Structure formats: structure tokens, C-alpha cells
Amino acid sequence: MVIKNIDAATVAKKFLVRGYNIDPKAAELLCKSGLFSDDIVDKICCVANGGFIIEKSVVEEFLRNLANPKPKPEPKPKPEVEKKINEVKASNSSLKVIKDITGKSSCQGSVEDFLMYFNSRLEKLTKIIRSRVNTTPIAYAGKVKGNVSVAGLVNEVYERGDRCYIRLEDNTGMITCVATGKNAEIARELLGDEVIGVTGVIKGSSLYANRIIFPDIPINGNGEKKKDFYMVFLSDTHFGSKEFLEREWKMFINWLNGEVGGKKSQELAEKVKYIIIAGDIVDGIGVYPGQEDDLAIKDIYGQYEFAASHLEEIPKHIKVIVSPGNHDAVRQAEPQPAFDGEIRDLFPKNVEHVGNPAYVDIEGVKVLIYHGRSIDDIISKIPRLSYDEPQKVMEEILKRRHLSPIYGGRTPLAPEKEDYLVIEDVPDVFHCGHIHTYGTGFYRGVFMVNSSTWQAQTDFQKKVNLNPMPGNVAVYRPGGEVVRLRFYGE
Ligand code: FE
Ligand code: ZN
């Protein structure tokens, strides 16, 4: 919508809230053009190329291009990978990939990419916070009398005495929030780089918090969805490792085929319709120093062939969804795309490949699959959390509505134009792996599962005192019961 009779100061403010300063002459030019709209502001910010001051020349050129648009380049053909995914999707209408980076990555790692990435994170999460509380841009918070709420990215948290200070930043400015009592306790558990809201009163140049607001998920999640089929959750199979548990895997396959257990167990197996595997399908090559000594198969394709031959044993009426992890042969930085064609072709037809993270809709049940590398980072920041209760860490992830809040920890993040790690849609099921322990729980109606491993303790894990819980399988009926099966140590 074109806004008529606008003055240069208002134009400047429109740019300011988007994190840009506009030269007064450039603002004047925009006013006179009679073409001013919010849409145009967004477009000019896009062509500003990371410069924070928008010069008159930028606006002149923009208006010129608007009058004589350049011919659009021919659209590029879609990459092979994406086409393949769609083909598989079409063959089974009960499974839809809602969101996944596969075939869409665009980042080069430039400064502009990082700016866009963090802007996307801020924008998406602020929107969620705004659905619960009215916020004021940080630059204008100081002018509000009485209670004011702001939302921003946590830049820094520090303590002085029993007070906790939070430096909060949005694209208009930065403010120091002071937290005491219960709020200080909450502030101490902030991870950095997450987006929160703070409500409080301004004194001097600081905001004295009376409430810290996480984006969080609604109390009842998405509401209950009752289904008559079971989903099985696996991860960290580590095919190719010397410690891969062949015997236990075989027992699991026998169970799936209704060959072990009593009548009840067989009935359960009969109703399994989906198996989801959340990463670290193979052990990989060169993941940590000295890994060669731990490998039974030293060739990466050999490892995937071995993996595929084991997934081949799964009954064909079961749909298998495979997502990669940090040991797999895809880029390390998250979000990770699905395996490339050569590896996918090794797997049977009932296997669907998705990225990490991936958001899939299974007969109306929304499942968020994430390998879970950030769990290491979060446990190292919040002392009350541990590897023995992964579901408690997953709860913190849901509260922050971000899969990997900490930037610059052990989880490498790719600065995509859009932050794929924001949990925009509330899932019904949240599935992680990575830490090789087992845990399930519910948080505000969302079923959380961390799904063990099929690798026994390695020498490296022994050295660093990591105690895996292998061979545990979570079986879940949406809206119903959770069953834990143990194939290890029985
Ligand atoms: Fe793993
Ligand atoms: Zn892992």
C-alpha cells in the first residue's frame, strides 16, 4: 500500500526499526517519489547490501530500476535432489515433508548472510512473543512511563552480587535488563543468542524486570490427536562401527516381524506403521581423531551399504524416515540437507530421506526430527540438566522455540537467509538423538523422545565417562501410550 503525504522523519523511523539509517536526502527523495510503502522499505533494505547507512544514490538507483525493471533471469531448473523427494512424497500421501533445507541452501557465509540469519531469528521469535505480549522497539522503550515490554536477542548475561544483568538487543538498539529474585534465577539459565521478552519498568537507562517471557509453546500444544498406529523412534545406529550391536539389532527386527515376545508384544509390532531415525546412521570417517581404530568398515559407501542392508530387513509395509546427524556424510553445519543421490539410491524404496532438522506431517501428526547436537551445548550451560534425562533438555529447547540457540558453541550453524532452526510450528512429537541415552516425556502436550543408540560404549566414551543406554526403543501411539522396549543387556 502506497503511503501518501509522509515526512522524512517518519521515513527514517521506518528504516530505523529495521536496523538501518537512511541519509536525510535519501529520505526526502523517497517522500517526493510518492511511491513510499512498507514493501518498498523492505526492498531497499535488501539492496542496501549490508551497509547500515542508506545513501541517496542507493535510493536513486532503486527508483530508476522501479521505473525500468531489468528483465528477470530465467528460473534455474530445480536441483535433482528436490525433484526426487517430491516423487517419493507423491507415492505415499500419508507422509508430507513440511519443512526441510534439502535443495534450498543458499548461504555463502558472508557478513550479509549472518545479518540476515540473525534478523530472521529475531523476527520469527519476536513474532511469537508478540502474540502473547505487546512489545515496544528497544530504542523507544525509555520513553514509556510505567510498565513496558521489549523483545530481543540475548547478547550477554552477567552477575553482580545477587543481581543478574541481561543485555538485550533488537534491530533498533540495546538495553540492559536488571533481574532480581526469581527472575535472576531464570536469567542465570539463559544460553545467549536466544530471543526473549522482558516486561518491567525503566529506571535510568535500565529496564527493571518483573517478568521474563520465553517464546514457549501454548499450554495444550496442538491439542490431542488420537491414532490407531504406532511410531518407532530410533537414532544413532552407527552402522560401520566396531561397537555396532548386530545381535540386538537382529532381535529388534525379529520383534518387528512378530517373531518374539508374547501376544501383546506381537500386536504392538503389527501396528507399527512408521520408523523414524534421527541421525548418525553410520559412524562416518574422520569424525574424531583416531576413529579408524573404532571402525569395522573403513569406507564411507561401505558403511552406507551396510546400513541399507540392515534397513532392508524392516518389513516393507513400514515407512522409514531417515534424517542425518553429525557422523553422516553431509555438511556438518546445521541445517543439514538429506543424503545425496548416490547414498539414497542404496536404500530400499520404503525409506524416505529428509534433512536435519526436518518437519514432517504423518497422517496429521506433526513430527519435528532433530539430531540433537545442541543438547551438548545446553547441558554444559545449565548445571541442573544431565545426559541421563535428555527430555528435560528438550523441554528447554521447546521453551525457547529454537533447536540450537547458542551460536559459536559445539554446534556449527550455517547462516541461511532464513533460520530453519526456529520452531515455528508447534509439533506433536519432538524427536532427538545424538547423546546415546534414552528418555521420553511430555511438555505441554508435546511428546518428546530421545532415542538411544545401537552402538555399545566405545573406548573414547569410556575415557570421557559417557555411559550410553543402547538398544532402547520408544514405541508411541499418537494420543496414546508410550512403550519402552529393551534389546540390550537382557
Ligand atoms: Fe551418535
Ligand atoms: Zn551425533
Side-chain angles (χ1 to χ4, degrees):
M1 197 183 70
V2 174
I3 306 169
K4 297 278 175 202
N5 303 327
I6 193 157
D7 59 86
T10 314
V11 170
K13 220 181 268 171
K14 293 260 185 195
F15 279 92
L16 201 63
V17 295
R18 288 163 172 85
Y20 289 87
N21 281 308
I22 184 165
D23 181 278
K25 283 190 189 126
E28 200 63 45
L29 193 66
L30 261 181
C31 295
K32 281 190 193 145
S33 74
L35 291 167
F36 188 83
S37 70
D38 282 324
D39 188 44
I40 281 201
V41 176
D42 289 333
K43 283 184 180 146
I44 294 176
C45 290
C46 273
V47 297
N49 242 341
F52 290 106
I53 297 177
I54 293 166
E55 312 283 356
K56 195 178 168 199
S57 60
V58 171
V59 174
E60 274 170 349
E61 203 198 323
F62 179 83
L63 292 174
R64 232 185 348 254
N65 286 339
L66 211 59
N68 310 300
K70 287 181 197 150
K72 272 195 185 156
E74 283 283 312
K76 279 190 201 152
K78 279 193 175 172
E80 218 18 54
V81 171
E82 205 181 346
K83 222 167 80 193
K84 267 208 153 165
I85 279 195
N86 291 333
E87 273 166 25
V88 184
K89 254 189 278 179
S91 71
N92 191 333
S93 58
S94 55
L95 176 72
K96 273 183 285 184
V97 179
I98 307 174
K99 196 158 202 190
D100 178 337
I101 185 75
T102 309
K104 299 187 202 80
S105 174
S106 62
C107 83
Q108 319 260 304
S110 65
V111 177
E112 290 88 68
D113 283 345
F114 280 97
L115 283 172
M116 277 217 227
Y117 173 76
F118 279 107
N119 268 330
S120 164
R121 180 185 290 204
L122 182 66
E123 212 172 275
K124 286 181 184 205
L125 290 167
T126 302
K127 204 170 132 198
I128 297 172
I129 291 170
R130 274 202 203 124
S131 69
R132 301 176 40 208
V133 35
N134 249 329
T135 62
T136 303
I138 286 175
Y140 307 111
K143 299 199 174 69
V144 179
K145 298 261 180 295
N147 264 330
V148 62
S149 299
V150 295
L153 202 78
V154 175
N155 194 287
E156 194 189 352
V157 182
Y158 55 93
E159 284 178 67
R160 297 249 165 84
D162 52 6
R163 284 181 168 191
C164 216
Y165 296 80
I166 311 162
R167 300 276 290 157
L168 208 63
E169 188 181 12
D170 69 5
N171 43 28
T172 69
M174 175 108 86
I175 196 165
T176 303
C177 306
V178 186
T180 56
K182 259 232 141 358
N183 285 323
E185 272 170 47
I186 298 170
R188 267 179 217 114
E189 291 198 347
L190 289 173
L191 303 165
D193 307 322
E194 70 255 74
V195 176
I196 57 164
V198 176
T199 300
V201 182
I202 299 283
K203 283 180 204 159
S205 62
S206 300
L207 176 63
Y208 283 71
N210 44 45
R211 200 173 139 217
I212 293 174
I213 305 144
F214 286 100
D216 223 321
I217 54 177
I219 303 278
N220 293 318
N222 276 329
E224 212 177 31
K225 285 168 190 162
K226 277 197 164 50
K227 299 286 172 190
D228 196 33
F229 59 80
Y230 286 88
M231 295 173 170
V232 163
F233 298 93
L234 310 177
S235 65
D236 301 270
T237 43
H238 289 263
F239 290 108
S241 159
K242 273 185 187 163
E243 302 300 332
F244 169 67
L245 295 164
E246 185 75 60
R247 196 179 72 95
E248 287 75 3
W249 178 266
K250 192 81 206 139
M251 278 161 60
F252 166 63
I253 296 292
N254 288 344
W255 170 75
L256 269 183
N257 283 302
E259 288 159 16
V260 285
K263 202 166 174 253
K264 241 183 141 188
S265 170
Q266 284 174 358
E267 275 170 12
L268 193 69
E270 251 167 49
K271 285 194 171 174
V272 172
K273 219 172 153 187
Y274 299 93
I275 296 179
I276 307 169
I277 314 181
D280 284 0
I281 308 307
V282 299
D283 206 42
I285 303 268
V287 181
Y288 54 88
Q291 192 194 13
E292 313 80 83
D293 301 335
D294 297 338
L295 293 176
I297 303 168
K298 294 189 187 350
D299 163 69
I300 191 77
Y301 282 96
Q303 291 183 6
Y304 281 107
E305 269 164 7
F306 186 69
S309 71
H310 281 72
L311 297 196
E312 189 73 55
E313 296 160 3
I314 294 171
K316 293 292 177 283
H317 67 272
I318 297 173
K319 187 96 190 157
V320 183
I321 301 150
V322 167
S323 166
N326 57 306
H327 280 253
D328 285 301
V330 289
R331 79 163 179 205
Q332 284 299 292
E334 294 175 7
Q336 298 177 290
F339 298 146
D340 68 25
E342 236 173 307
I343 293 175
R344 294 147 87 101
D345 289 346
L346 300 172
F347 286 86
K349 292 258 175 311
N350 58 330
V351 174
E352 167 111 10
H353 295 275
V354 297
N356 168 44
Y359 218 104
V360 296
D361 179 308
I362 298 176
E363 302 191 25
V365 180
K366 287 183 187 172
V367 182
L368 174 58
I369 311 163
Y370 173 58
H371 179 57
R373 208 167 176 188
S374 68
I375 294 175
D376 286 330
D377 286 323
I378 297 170
I379 288 178
S380 70
K381 276 261 186 171
I382 304 181
R384 72 179 160 85
L385 299 175
S386 80
Y387 286 97
D388 298 335
E389 291 179 305
Q391 68 276 21
K392 293 206 170 143
V393 188
M394 292 170 73
E395 196 174 307
E396 294 303 317
I397 290 176
L398 288 175
K399 230 161 87 178
R400 286 162 177 82
R401 295 283 287 263
H402 200 284
L403 293 168
S404 184
I406 304 169
Y407 188 81
R410 275 184 271 178
T411 315
L413 301 179
E416 296 293 342
K417 290 193 174 63
E418 186 190 335
D419 189 349
Y420 280 81
L421 298 162
V422 173
I423 305 171
E424 282 182 276
D425 281 319
V426 177
D428 299 302
V429 176
F430 179 30
H431 177 204
C432 291
H434 182 62
I435 59 172
H436 296 205
T437 55
Y438 177 93
T440 59
F442 283 89
Y443 177 65
R444 299 193 161 185
V446 180
F447 173 59
M448 304 175 293
V449 51
N450 198 300
S451 52
S452 172
T453 176
W454 294 85
Q455 183 188 41
Q457 194 182 41
T458 60
D459 288 344
F460 173 75
Q461 289 170 340
K462 211 173 278 170
K463 251 182 257 160
V464 296
N465 210 12
L466 256 169
N467 292 306
M469 304 179 194
N472 281 264
V473 173
V475 188
Y476 173 59
R477 184 167 63 83
E481 65 275 26
V482 184
V483 181
R484 178 179 187 170
L485 302 174
R486 297 164 205 254
F487 294 97
Y488 184 74
E490 300 275 298

